[in-house]
Amino acid sequence: MQIGVETSKAVDLRRVFVVHDDDITRAALQFMLHDEIETHELATPEEAFARGVDWLKPHVVLLGASFLKQKGPTLIGELAAHFSDVRILIVCDKSDEATAVEGIKAGAHGVLVKPLTLEAVGKKVDTILERGGAAPIVQLSVLK
C-alpha cells in the first residue's frame, strides 16, 4: 500500500516517458513520479519511438534539453507527430533556458528547470495532465 498517494492518481491510466541522456536525472524523475503515474525511463528519443507503439503511447514526455541541442527544435514536432495528443515538458539546467525557449516555440508545453524537487515535478505533471485540481491548460499562441 502506498501512503500519501491519492487514489484517483494511482489508478490514472496515463503514462509519462522520461527521455534524458543522464541516467541519474532519468532515475530521479522516475522515482518522483512512479507512485502516482506509470513512468518509463528511456535513454534516447529513438528508444521512446520504439517503446511507444500501440497501447504504450505516452501522455507526457519529459525531454532532456540535450536532445534539443543535438537534434534541434524539430524534435518537438517529431514527438508530437509520433505520439498524438502528447504533452512535452523540457527538462533543463538554468544555463539551457535559451534551448528550452526554442523548444517552447516549436510546440513544447512547458519547462522543468533544475534543481528538480518532488513537489515541483509532481505539480507540473499534474497541471499538464489537468488532474488533481490543477487549472486547465490554456493554449497561447506565440507572437512572431
Side-chain angles (χ1 to χ4, degrees):
M1 178 179 208
Q2 297 168 330
I3 298 172
V5 176
E6 289 181 40
T7 305
S8 63
K9 291 180 182 179
V11 298
D12 192 352
L13 297 176
R14 294 180 281 186
R15 70 190 48 84
V16 174
F17 280 8
V18 178
V19 183
H20 205 289
D21 61 351
D22 177 44
D23 57 342
I24 294 171
T25 300
R26 270 196 327 269
L29 286 165
Q30 195 277 338
F31 179 78
M32 290 177 185
L33 295 170
H34 82 278
D35 280 344
E36 294 187 348
I37 191 164
E38 180 182 338
T39 307
H40 301 268
E41 295 179 52
L42 304 156
T44 66
E46 293 75 23
E47 189 178 341
F49 293 141
R51 183 81 180 264
V53 293
D54 300 327
W55 64 272
L56 196 61
K57 292 186 181 199
H59 298 87
V60 176
V61 171
L62 303 182
L63 180 68
S66 61
F67 293 118
L68 287 177
K69 287 180 177 180
Q70 295 169 14
K71 299 175 184 289
T74 58
L75 178 58
I76 301 296
E78 291 175 37
L79 287 165
H82 198 80
F83 304 124
S84 60
D85 299 323
V86 72
R87 299 289 200 170
I88 301 166
L89 294 174
I90 300 165
V91 180
C92 69
D93 291 313
K94 192 137 181 84
S95 62
D96 293 327
E97 284 182 339
T99 302
V101 168
E102 290 301 314
I104 295 289
K105 288 179 182 177
H109 300 91
V111 178
L112 284 168
V113 181
K114 294 178 183 178
L116 302 170
T117 65
L118 183 66
E119 183 178 325
V121 171
K123 185 176 180 179
K124 190 72 145 191
V125 170
D126 283 347
T127 300
I128 210 80
L129 289 173
E130 299 177 2
R131 68 180 196 164
I137 302 293
V138 177
Q139 197 71 356
L140 300 175
S141 60
V142 178
L143 298 176
K144 294 184 180 189

